[in-house]
Amino acid sequence: MRARWSLNARAAALGLFVTALLLGPAAAASATAPVTLGTGYVLDDVGVLTSDEISAAEADLAEFREESGLDLWVVFVDEFTDPSSSADWANQTALDNGLGPTQYLLAVATESRQFYLSGDSAGPVTDEHLGAIEQNATQPALADDNWLGAIDATAAGLGEAIGITTDGGTDGGGTDGGATSGGSSGFLPLLAVGAVVVAGFVLVGWVLLRKRKRPTGAGVEAPVVSTEELERQASAALVATDDAITTSTQELGFARAQFGDEATAEFEDALARARAAMTEAFGLQQSLDDEKPDTDASARAAYSRILELCAAANADLDAKAAAFDELRQLERNAPEALVRVEDERTKAAAAIEAADAALATLGTRYAPEAFATVADNPDQARARLEFATEQLAEAQRDVGAGRGGEAAIGIRAAEDAVDQARLLEKAIDDLTTNLAEGERQAAALVSELETDLATAASLPDPDGRIAAATLATRRGLDEARKLLVSPSRPLAALEALRAANEQIDAVIAGVRDAQARDERARQQLAQAMLQAQAQISAADDYITSRRGAVGATARTRLAEARASLAGAQQLQATDAAAALGQAGRAAQLAAEATSAAQRDVGAFDGGGLGGGFGGGSGSNSGSGMLGAMLGGVVLNSLLGGGGSRSSGGFGGLGGLGGFGGSSRGGSSRGGSFGGGRARPASFGGGGTRGRRGGGRF
């Protein structure tokens, strides 16, 4: 972008110039609440820019809008207050001023050295890109007190994110760290001899500015999005919204335990609506993933509907985010919350030895494949608790210093990490129970199959169909028996037995009357339901505790597995045969979900903080922060990362583009990010302004 003067920019410069002359040093701002944006793009409440620099920035940002269709507002204040969080302050300012999806706000607190780039995830620049812009463009310039350079670098980054290359912008590098040269005293003679002339220019400028139409995103024709880009956006939306629902569910559990069901009913209702929207969205994604080919038009319609559903789910959660924060009041109750979470962390740490012992017992009875989803759970739990310990220590320092908002960040992050550690520990016990029950039911099914084979042998077989089915069933039965020999794989054996059972049932069904067939299906249904529930539980625990690495494919399969199991449960009393088919589909989809999730975790690189996790092998649990990122306690994009997602269908973590609500939703709370300080999500949507970035400079 080239620095150039427009008539409006000249008028704005004159107005600001005279204001600075008249107010002088007394114009220094105090801690500032969210502000009302003026008619220009730059609001400098602390005087870090000269009038020439403001004019140049205004002209550049106007040109930037012409080139890109994006608006960038920039606000300089001394400190953020009401709220004190840089993210919440910037997001609230954007919301108060009605900024839309193509409109961005860079907020800078020059005294407290904080900043945040606020953008709506419904817009064209993803959260991942916004985080990269903050860290790679905005922050370096701010660190040098190069205020004008920060504006130019931020605009250039936004342009590059949507494929627009600007032509250089203002000469930000030419500023001397943002300090004004000469100050107002150099212009005092002008004020003394030409006050009337200057006042006349101010009046003209004010009239011109009043006539200027405020830039908005309206009327900017959006480029046609390719089907591939729609697919990427839908995949990212599914992941982010599913994470938002998971986090909101977890946070609601904390609140329900503290305040009871009645106080949290409105949040449960919002979650129920969000889950219903996501059930439809995952169903659409599953239909796109199946073997039936889709036309380009039908695929685009489905992806667009997924984005709409994700936006609706986020909007429902976002609408309750502020009320939820008010209910919990972590900022005001930080000391008490700190004690409570520390007690929970101690209990979770004490339970790790029992988890180690339970895992060792599994290793003596079952093949490694049977418990692969929990093989590294104790190590992962330790990583989460290490992270929780760090966050609680920092929160304790914040409480001592009277920084309730900062303390709330650490408390929330620690609380989430401790809860995930408990989930990881419990998953071992749950799998132990399911494997034992699987062994029992597999043994019963072996006996039933032997009876079926004997029945088939007594039937007439004029065309050899029964003999062929009997042979295939016998092979399946023999394979299942091998899987039941120690070290066994009971759930895999159940799957082999179920498949064998379908084969033999198909050939003898014709000689059974309807009542006998229904009774037979009822007998098989209990086993099929157990297998489906066990595999769904294992997949759910695995994905939830490693959701920072798991993409849309695994989540889609898991959601469809849950839906199929729910269908089986609804049908079991009226149509056992149909319920049996639904239960079998649920088990198959859950197994696919686990495999896809393990591939994603194996490819997870933690944004460069550590190597892959080996798909659940337990070979590399990572540091506390890396474990927190893997578990989704904090977002990888906050660290400028981009851990890979293999089956998820979108590049990098934190890619929240293409959807979102209108409020700050699950935005990060308070303070700066650095030195291990987490920005955990809270109750609220996965899109919207927030959930990422910012920091200190």
CSV table of all heavy atoms in Angstrom, one decimal, residues 82-113:
chain,number,residue,atom,x,y,z
A,82,ASP,N,-12.1,-3.2,32.0
A,82,ASP,CA,-13.5,-3.5,31.8
A,82,ASP,C,-13.9,-4.1,30.5
A,82,ASP,O,-14.7,-3.5,29.8
A,82,ASP,CB,-14.3,-2.2,32.1
A,82,ASP,CG,-14.2,-1.7,33.5
A,82,ASP,OD1,-14.0,-2.5,34.4
A,82,ASP,OD2,-14.2,-0.5,33.7
A,83,PRO,N,-13.3,-5.2,30.0
A,83,PRO,CA,-12.5,-6.2,30.7
A,83,PRO,C,-11.0,-5.9,30.6
A,83,PRO,O,-10.6,-5.1,29.7
A,83,PRO,CB,-12.8,-7.5,30.1
A,83,PRO,CG,-13.2,-7.1,28.7
A,83,PRO,CD,-13.8,-5.8,28.8
A,84,SER,N,-10.2,-6.5,31.4
A,84,SER,CA,-8.7,-6.3,31.4
A,84,SER,C,-8.0,-7.3,30.4
A,84,SER,O,-6.9,-7.1,30.0
A,84,SER,CB,-8.1,-6.5,32.8
A,84,SER,OG,-8.4,-7.8,33.3
A,85,SER,N,-8.7,-8.3,30.0
A,85,SER,CA,-8.2,-9.3,29.0
A,85,SER,C,-8.1,-8.6,27.7
A,85,SER,O,-9.0,-8.0,27.2
A,85,SER,CB,-9.1,-10.5,28.9
A,85,SER,OG,-8.9,-11.1,27.7
A,86,SER,N,-6.9,-8.7,27.0
A,86,SER,CA,-6.7,-8.1,25.7
A,86,SER,C,-7.7,-8.7,24.7
A,86,SER,O,-8.3,-8.0,23.9
A,86,SER,CB,-5.3,-8.3,25.2
A,86,SER,OG,-5.0,-9.7,25.2
A,87,ALA,N,-8.0,-10.0,24.8
A,87,ALA,CA,-8.9,-10.6,23.9
A,87,ALA,C,-10.3,-10.1,24.1
A,87,ALA,O,-11.0,-9.7,23.2
A,87,ALA,CB,-8.8,-12.2,24.0
A,88,ASP,N,-10.7,-10.2,25.3
A,88,ASP,CA,-12.1,-9.8,25.6
A,88,ASP,C,-12.3,-8.3,25.3
A,88,ASP,O,-13.4,-7.9,24.9
A,88,ASP,CB,-12.4,-10.0,27.1
A,88,ASP,CG,-12.6,-11.5,27.4
A,88,ASP,OD1,-12.6,-12.3,26.4
A,88,ASP,OD2,-12.7,-11.9,28.5
A,89,TRP,N,-11.3,-7.5,25.6
A,89,TRP,CA,-11.4,-6.0,25.4
A,89,TRP,C,-11.6,-5.8,23.9
A,89,TRP,O,-12.5,-5.0,23.4
A,89,TRP,CB,-10.2,-5.3,25.9
A,89,TRP,CG,-10.3,-3.8,26.0
A,89,TRP,CD1,-10.7,-3.1,27.1
A,89,TRP,CD2,-10.1,-2.9,24.9
A,89,TRP,NE1,-10.7,-1.7,26.7
A,89,TRP,CE2,-10.3,-1.6,25.4
A,89,TRP,CE3,-9.7,-3.0,23.6
A,89,TRP,CZ2,-10.2,-0.4,24.6
A,89,TRP,CZ3,-9.6,-1.8,22.8
A,89,TRP,CH2,-9.9,-0.6,23.3
A,90,ALA,N,-10.7,-6.4,23.1
A,90,ALA,CA,-10.8,-6.2,21.6
A,90,ALA,C,-12.1,-6.7,21.0
A,90,ALA,O,-12.7,-6.1,20.2
A,90,ALA,CB,-9.6,-6.8,20.9
A,91,ASN,N,-12.4,-7.9,21.5
A,91,ASN,CA,-13.7,-8.5,21.0
A,91,ASN,C,-14.9,-7.7,21.4
A,91,ASN,O,-15.8,-7.5,20.6
A,91,ASN,CB,-13.8,-9.9,21.5
A,91,ASN,CG,-12.7,-10.9,21.0
A,91,ASN,OD1,-12.2,-10.6,19.9
A,91,ASN,ND2,-12.4,-11.9,21.7
A,92,GLN,N,-14.9,-7.2,22.6
A,92,GLN,CA,-16.1,-6.4,23.0
A,92,GLN,C,-16.2,-5.1,22.2
A,92,GLN,O,-17.2,-4.7,21.9
A,92,GLN,CB,-16.0,-6.1,24.5
A,92,GLN,CG,-17.3,-5.6,25.1
A,92,GLN,CD,-18.4,-6.5,24.9
A,92,GLN,OE1,-18.3,-7.7,25.3
A,92,GLN,NE2,-19.5,-6.1,24.3
A,93,THR,N,-15.0,-4.5,22.0
A,93,THR,CA,-15.0,-3.3,21.2
A,93,THR,C,-15.5,-3.6,19.8
A,93,THR,O,-16.3,-2.8,19.2
A,93,THR,CB,-13.6,-2.7,21.1
A,93,THR,OG1,-13.1,-2.4,22.4
A,93,THR,CG2,-13.5,-1.5,20.2
A,94,ALA,N,-15.1,-4.7,19.2
A,94,ALA,CA,-15.6,-5.0,17.9
A,94,ALA,C,-17.1,-5.3,17.9
A,94,ALA,O,-17.8,-4.8,17.0
A,94,ALA,CB,-14.8,-6.3,17.4
A,95,LEU,N,-17.6,-5.9,18.9
A,95,LEU,CA,-19.0,-6.2,18.9
A,95,LEU,C,-19.8,-5.0,19.2
A,95,LEU,O,-20.8,-4.7,18.6
A,95,LEU,CB,-19.3,-7.2,20.0
A,95,LEU,CG,-18.7,-8.6,19.8
A,95,LEU,CD1,-18.8,-9.5,21.1
A,95,LEU,CD2,-19.4,-9.3,18.7
A,96,ASP,N,-19.3,-4.1,20.1
A,96,ASP,CA,-20.0,-2.9,20.4
A,96,ASP,C,-20.1,-2.0,19.2
A,96,ASP,O,-21.1,-1.2,19.1
A,96,ASP,CB,-19.3,-2.1,21.5
A,96,ASP,CG,-19.4,-2.8,22.9
A,96,ASP,OD1,-20.3,-3.7,23.0
A,96,ASP,OD2,-18.7,-2.4,23.8
A,97,ASN,N,-19.1,-2.1,18.3
A,97,ASN,CA,-19.1,-1.2,17.1
A,97,ASN,C,-19.7,-1.9,15.9
A,97,ASN,O,-19.6,-1.3,14.8
A,97,ASN,CB,-17.7,-0.7,16.9
A,97,ASN,CG,-17.3,0.4,17.9
A,97,ASN,OD1,-17.6,1.5,17.7
A,97,ASN,ND2,-16.6,-0.1,18.9
A,98,GLY,N,-20.2,-3.1,16.1
A,98,GLY,CA,-20.9,-3.8,15.0
A,98,GLY,C,-20.0,-4.2,13.9
A,98,GLY,O,-20.5,-4.3,12.7
A,99,LEU,N,-18.8,-4.6,14.1
A,99,LEU,CA,-17.9,-5.0,13.1
A,99,LEU,C,-18.4,-6.4,12.5
A,99,LEU,O,-18.8,-7.3,13.3
A,99,LEU,CB,-16.5,-5.2,13.6
A,99,LEU,CG,-15.8,-3.9,14.1
A,99,LEU,CD1,-14.3,-4.1,14.2
A,99,LEU,CD2,-16.1,-2.7,13.2
A,100,GLY,N,-18.3,-6.5,11.2
A,100,GLY,CA,-18.8,-7.7,10.6
A,100,GLY,C,-17.7,-8.7,10.2
A,100,GLY,O,-16.5,-8.5,10.6
A,101,PRO,N,-18.0,-9.8,9.5
A,101,PRO,CA,-17.1,-10.9,9.2
A,101,PRO,C,-15.9,-10.5,8.4
A,101,PRO,O,-14.8,-11.1,8.5
A,101,PRO,CB,-17.9,-11.9,8.5
A,101,PRO,CG,-19.3,-11.6,8.9
A,101,PRO,CD,-19.4,-10.1,9.0
A,102,THR,N,-16.0,-9.4,7.6
A,102,THR,CA,-14.8,-8.9,6.8
A,102,THR,C,-14.1,-7.8,7.5
A,102,THR,O,-13.3,-7.1,6.8
A,102,THR,CB,-15.2,-8.6,5.4
A,102,THR,OG1,-16.2,-7.5,5.5
A,102,THR,CG2,-15.9,-9.8,4.7
A,103,GLN,N,-14.4,-7.5,8.8
A,103,GLN,CA,-13.8,-6.3,9.4
A,103,GLN,C,-13.0,-6.8,10.7
A,103,GLN,O,-13.5,-7.5,11.5
A,103,GLN,CB,-15.0,-5.4,9.8
A,103,GLN,CG,-15.7,-4.9,8.6
A,103,GLN,CD,-16.9,-4.1,8.9
A,103,GLN,OE1,-17.6,-4.3,9.9
A,103,GLN,NE2,-17.2,-3.1,8.0
A,104,TYR,N,-11.8,-6.3,10.8
A,104,TYR,CA,-10.9,-6.7,11.8
A,104,TYR,C,-10.5,-5.5,12.7
A,104,TYR,O,-10.5,-4.4,12.2
A,104,TYR,CB,-9.7,-7.4,11.2
A,104,TYR,CG,-10.1,-8.6,10.4
A,104,TYR,CD1,-10.5,-8.5,9.1
A,104,TYR,CD2,-10.0,-9.8,11.0
A,104,TYR,CE1,-10.9,-9.6,8.4
A,104,TYR,CE2,-10.4,-11.0,10.3
A,104,TYR,CZ,-10.9,-10.9,9.0
A,104,TYR,OH,-11.3,-12.0,8.3
A,105,LEU,N,-10.1,-5.8,13.9
A,105,LEU,CA,-9.7,-4.8,14.8
A,105,LEU,C,-8.4,-5.1,15.5
A,105,LEU,O,-8.3,-6.2,16.1
A,105,LEU,CB,-10.8,-4.6,15.9
A,105,LEU,CG,-10.4,-3.6,17.0
A,105,LEU,CD1,-10.3,-2.2,16.5
A,105,LEU,CD2,-11.4,-3.7,18.2
A,106,LEU,N,-7.4,-4.3,15.4
A,106,LEU,CA,-6.1,-4.5,16.1
A,106,LEU,C,-6.2,-3.5,17.3
A,106,LEU,O,-6.2,-2.3,17.2
A,106,LEU,CB,-4.9,-4.1,15.2
A,106,LEU,CG,-3.6,-4.1,15.9
A,106,LEU,CD1,-3.2,-5.5,16.6
A,106,LEU,CD2,-2.5,-3.7,15.0
A,107,ALA,N,-6.2,-4.1,18.5
A,107,ALA,CA,-6.2,-3.3,19.8
A,107,ALA,C,-4.8,-3.4,20.4
A,107,ALA,O,-4.3,-4.5,20.6
A,107,ALA,CB,-7.3,-3.8,20.7
A,108,VAL,N,-4.2,-2.2,20.8
A,108,VAL,CA,-2.9,-2.2,21.4
A,108,VAL,C,-3.0,-1.4,22.7
A,108,VAL,O,-3.4,-0.2,22.6
A,108,VAL,CB,-1.9,-1.6,20.4
A,108,VAL,CG1,-0.5,-1.5,21.0
A,108,VAL,CG2,-1.8,-2.3,19.1
A,109,ALA,N,-2.5,-1.9,23.8
A,109,ALA,CA,-2.3,-1.2,25.0
A,109,ALA,C,-0.8,-0.9,25.2
A,109,ALA,O,0.0,-1.8,25.5
A,109,ALA,CB,-2.9,-2.0,26.2
A,110,THR,N,-0.5,0.4,25.0
A,110,THR,CA,0.9,0.7,24.9
A,110,THR,C,1.6,0.7,26.3
A,110,THR,O,2.9,0.4,26.3
A,110,THR,CB,1.1,2.1,24.3
A,110,THR,OG1,0.4,3.1,25.1
A,110,THR,CG2,0.6,2.2,22.9
A,111,GLU,N,0.9,0.9,27.4
A,111,GLU,CA,1.6,0.9,28.7
A,111,GLU,C,1.7,-0.5,29.2
A,111,GLU,O,2.7,-0.9,29.8
A,111,GLU,CB,0.8,1.8,29.7
A,111,GLU,CG,0.8,3.3,29.3
A,111,GLU,CD,2.2,3.9,29.3
A,111,GLU,OE1,3.0,3.5,30.2
A,111,GLU,OE2,2.5,4.7,28.5
A,112,SER,N,0.6,-1.3,29.1
A,112,SER,CA,0.7,-2.7,29.6
A,112,SER,C,1.3,-3.6,28.6
A,112,SER,O,1.5,-4.8,28.9
A,112,SER,CB,-0.7,-3.1,30.0
A,112,SER,OG,-1.6,-3.1,28.9
A,113,ARG,N,1.6,-3.1,27.4
A,113,ARG,CA,2.3,-3.9,26.4
A,113,ARG,C,1.5,-5.1,26.0
A,113,ARG,O,2.0,-6.2,25.9
A,113,ARG,CB,3.7,-4.3,26.8
A,113,ARG,CG,4.6,-3.2,27.5
A,113,ARG,CD,5.0,-2.2,26.4
A,113,ARG,NE,6.0,-2.7,25.5
A,113,ARG,CZ,6.5,-2.0,24.5
A,113,ARG,NH1,6.2,-0.7,24.4
A,113,ARG,NH2,7.4,-2.5,23.7
